[in-house]
Amino acid sequence: MSVNNISVEKGFVNKKIEAEKDVVEEINKLKKEKNAIILAHYYQTGDIQDIADFVGDSLALSQKAAETDASIILFAGVHFMAETAKILAPNSKVLIPDLNAGCSLADSCPPKEFKKFIDEHPDHLVISYVNTTAEIKTMTDICCTSTNALKIIESLPKEQKIIFAPDRNLGSYIKRITGREDMVIWNGACHVHEEFSLESILELKKEYPKAKVISHPECQKPIQLISDFVGSTAALLNYTKTDNSSEYIVATESGILHQMKKQNPEKTYLVAPPKDSTCGCNDCNFMKLITVNKIYNTLKYEMPEVTLSQ
Ligand code: 13P
Ligand code: SF4
């Protein structure tokens, strides 16, 4: 890709960029010059995953942010993830290539209503996972991710009353596995994971009878129940690596297929179809706001920056 092709994004100075330089090379140069690293979520497009210093799920990305001594963290993911990186790495400048990269799940848990919910359930420990705003995190006793939520809840005494937020599907999955009747669940959801169609997955399964169905716990219960494996993005990736099947129907955001294909190129991966086959909603429109060109501009001009007062 040539730097010539870079469209300077809205909000940036419309500056002519030097001719004939490769944008990936330019990004690498800027990273070195500025002591910057790029952290990318598995839901980013393949070209972004390939230029990142580290690709991972929300847990691994938070851990990376906490341990880095980079002056700049460029976060190729959504806003709550960059905000979490800022909480964990307060001395680094945290940049996100598009401030509109929000999250329907984080938005489904507004602070005022959540505070009221907490007040209605005194004596409950508040466990929320990372797909929340910084304000919700300030009301949280334990912050987990979809990867370690089950483990954390299993480690708590049985008599401990729990509020779990923000995702109702992940919450009821945990409730079903642990049998914890005293867990109340916030009624939030992710618009991508809620859109997978049970009927269409079963149709696809007729065409590929040997394919295993694997799903994220943010999918609705019927999808979880017909799945051969349910797990977070990192767990799904690990499953396709260690399992000996050769075909998978994957019910999570389609970006994860890039790493699956890199890991085991000889296997077949089919994206689970959404309810509306024309909507393309197994792609997270927020995650997909990030582009390589925006990464270049963001690194060059060091904006937009994520600060905790936003
Ligand atoms: P992970 O916690 O598996 O990275 O998922 C993040 C996310 O956005 C789920 O939709
Ligand atoms: Fe949020 Fe869903 Fe997108 Fe994940 S896939 S970032 S939960 S909207």
Side-chain angles (χ1 to χ4, degrees):
M1 192 189 300
S2 148
V3 176
N4 271 344
N5 297 332
I6 292 174
S7 53
V8 177
E9 306 295 342
K10 220 168 109 192
F12 288 98
V13 186
N14 193 2
K15 194 173 183 297
K16 195 170 180 295
I17 297 158
E18 302 81 0
E20 302 306 316
K21 286 193 186 137
D22 184 84
V23 75
V24 176
E25 236 173 63
E26 285 298 308
I27 288 173
N28 286 333
K29 237 196 254 169
L30 285 169
K31 279 198 307 191
K32 233 190 209 157
E33 258 170 53
K34 297 182 181 226
N35 184 26
I37 57 164
I38 299 178
L39 303 182
H41 191 268
Y42 287 135
Y43 295 166
Q44 293 292 294
T45 51
D47 53 354
I48 293 176
Q49 293 188 34
D50 290 345
I51 60 164
D53 296 279
F54 185 77
V55 184
D57 69 344
S58 51
L59 176 63
L61 292 171
S62 310
Q63 288 164 339
K64 267 283 165 220
E67 75 192 27
T68 190
D69 54 8
S71 312
I72 294 177
I73 298 172
L74 184 139
F75 210 104
V78 293
H79 193 268
F80 77 80
M81 294 179 178
E83 204 174 49
T84 307
K86 184 65 191 172
I87 295 170
L88 297 169
N91 297 326
S92 301
K93 186 182 245 189
V94 177
L95 304 173
I96 187 163
D98 194 322
L99 276 175
N100 294 317
C103 169
S104 57
L105 178 53
D107 288 347
S108 69
C109 192
K112 218 165 119 203
E113 286 80 350
F114 192 57
K115 164 87 174 64
K116 190 163 166 267
F117 188 71
I118 294 174
D119 292 344
E120 284 162 5
H121 297 92
D123 312 324
H124 285 61
L125 193 72
V126 181
I127 304 187
S128 73
Y129 76 107
V130 70
N131 298 50
T132 48
T133 58
E135 201 174 345
I136 295 293
K137 288 185 179 79
T138 64
M139 301 178 206
T140 296
D141 296 306
I142 302 178
C143 182
C144 59
T145 72
S146 58
T147 291
N148 61 10
L150 183 62
K151 216 163 145 193
I152 286 175
I153 288 171
E154 275 174 337
S155 74
L156 298 169
K158 279 265 174 257
E159 59 284 3
Q160 176 65 58
K161 293 179 186 161
I162 294 170
I163 289 175
F164 183 80
D167 190 81
R168 58 181 172 230
N169 298 316
L170 176 55
S172 50
Y173 168 76
I174 293 172
K175 199 165 174 173
R176 203 164 60 248
I177 303 281
T178 59
R180 295 188 80 117
E181 284 313 313
D182 52 1
M183 191 167 122
V184 287
I185 300 166
W186 179 258
N187 192 22
C190 155
H191 73 299
V192 178
H193 288 91
E194 285 245 306
E195 265 312 301
F196 291 109
S197 155
L198 177 65
E199 289 70 28
S200 308
I201 292 175
L202 293 175
E203 277 302 308
L204 195 58
K205 184 91 181 139
K206 279 190 207 154
E207 256 183 80
Y208 296 86
K210 285 192 284 177
K212 282 191 174 162
V213 178
I214 59 174
S215 65
H216 195 283
E218 287 168 15
C219 293
Q220 290 175 332
K221 187 176 171 186
I223 310 259
Q224 295 179 17
L225 293 180
I226 57 127
S227 293
D228 296 280
F229 180 73
V230 179
S232 66
T233 45
L236 296 178
L237 186 59
N238 188 48
Y239 184 78
T240 57
K241 184 179 179 184
T242 51
D243 177 65
N244 54 19
S245 305
S246 58
E247 290 173 356
Y248 303 90
I249 297 170
V250 184
T252 192
E253 214 272 357
S254 60
I256 189 72
L257 267 64
H258 184 67
Q259 292 299 321
M260 288 176 173
K261 286 177 190 161
K262 271 178 103 168
Q263 208 173 242
N264 292 96
E266 74 290 357
K267 296 187 177 188
T268 302
Y269 310 93
L270 306 153
V271 184
K275 288 171 192 154
D276 173 359
S277 59
T278 60
C279 73
C281 33
N282 37 22
D283 271 334
C284 173
N285 50 319
F286 298 114
M287 285 279 181
K288 268 34 184 200
L289 282 175
I290 313 298
T291 63
V292 173
N293 287 349
K294 286 182 189 174
I295 289 177
Y296 172 80
N297 285 326
T298 302
L299 258 187
K300 186 161 174 86
Y301 300 109
E302 298 187 22
M303 60 185 240
E305 184 178 357
V306 176
T307 59
L308 292 177
S309 53
Q310 274 165 4

